[in-house]
């Protein structure tokens, strides 16, 4: 249960994206097949895949499933997503684009869910993020640093 909303209903809210619930979008006629139905646990498990592209796709799917849904974030954290994404960062972090996606997933899983923040801190998340920033100072690291700067408000009187 969320500390921010102690009376919240623990029933997960279905993801509004029908493609992630196993119901292909009726508008998926862009020449590509609709994604196969995948649940959160399956997507989390694929973060550990040896194939970089599979792990990155899994990170993107998990990110879509948990975005804006605190219960889904909690379920993902309890289901191993935090250590899974940290392992993926270690395994595939030499690729700047992959590192960026894994960093974004770790941030999204941790945003607003203190249990996930604690799990990320105790599972090596800070070290993994620092490694990504050092490995890609002009790529993912530069993007991450500029995104962080953009998210901070300008101090009064300096704008």
């Amino acid at each position: 249960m969320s500390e921010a909303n102690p009376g919240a209903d623990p029933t997960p809210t279905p993801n509004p994206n029908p493609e992630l619930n196993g119901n292909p979008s009726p508008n998926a006629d862009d020449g590509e097949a609709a994604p196969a139905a995948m649940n959160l646990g399956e997507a989390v498990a694929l973060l550990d895949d040896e194939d970089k592209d599979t792990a990155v796709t899994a990170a993107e799917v998990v990110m879509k499933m948990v975005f804006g849904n605190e219960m889904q974030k909690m379920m993902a954290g309890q289901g191993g997503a935090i250590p899974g994404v940290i392992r993926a960062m270690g395994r595939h972090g030499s690729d700047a684009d992959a590192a960026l996606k894994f960093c974004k997933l770790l941030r999204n899983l941790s945003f607003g869910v203190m249990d996930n923040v604690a799990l990320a801190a105790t599972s090596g998340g800070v070290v993994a993020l620092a490694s990504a920033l050092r490995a890609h100072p002009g790529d993912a690291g530069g993007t991450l640093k500029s995104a962080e700067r953009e998210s901070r408000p300008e101090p009064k009187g300096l704008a």
Side-chain angles (χ1 to χ4, degrees), residues 10-147:
T11 308
T13 304
N15 194 306
N17 185 338
E19 294 172 355
L20 299 177
N21 290 327
N23 303 317
S25 169
N27 298 325
D29 59 354
D30 57 357
E32 294 184 30
M38 183 180 300
N39 68 38
L40 184 59
E42 292 168 332
V44 167
L46 287 174
L47 290 170
D48 277 318
D49 202 278
E50 292 292 327
D51 179 66
K52 175 190 61 133
D53 292 334
T54 300
V56 167
T57 299
E60 292 170 338
V61 169
V62 172
M63 200 171 339
K64 287 178 183 176
M65 289 178 153
V66 304
F67 183 78
N69 188 321
E70 193 170 309
M71 182 57 64
Q72 288 284 79
K73 289 180 188 184
M74 290 171 46
M75 290 171 55
Q78 293 167 356
I82 303 282
V85 75
I86 292 168
R87 287 189 299 270
M89 290 171 80
R91 186 178 297 121
H92 308 295
S94 62
D95 180 281
D97 292 330
L100 178 59
K101 290 192 178 164
F102 296 138
C103 288
K104 285 181 176 182
L105 177 57
L106 188 58
R107 177 202 60 203
N108 287 352
L109 288 168
S110 300
F111 185 80
V113 181
M114 292 312 296
D115 288 346
N116 286 358
V117 171
L119 185 57
T122 60
S123 299
V126 175
V127 171
L129 290 170
S131 294
L133 289 170
R134 275 194 301 274
H136 307 289
D139 297 317
T143 302
L144 289 171
K145 288 176 186 173
S146 66

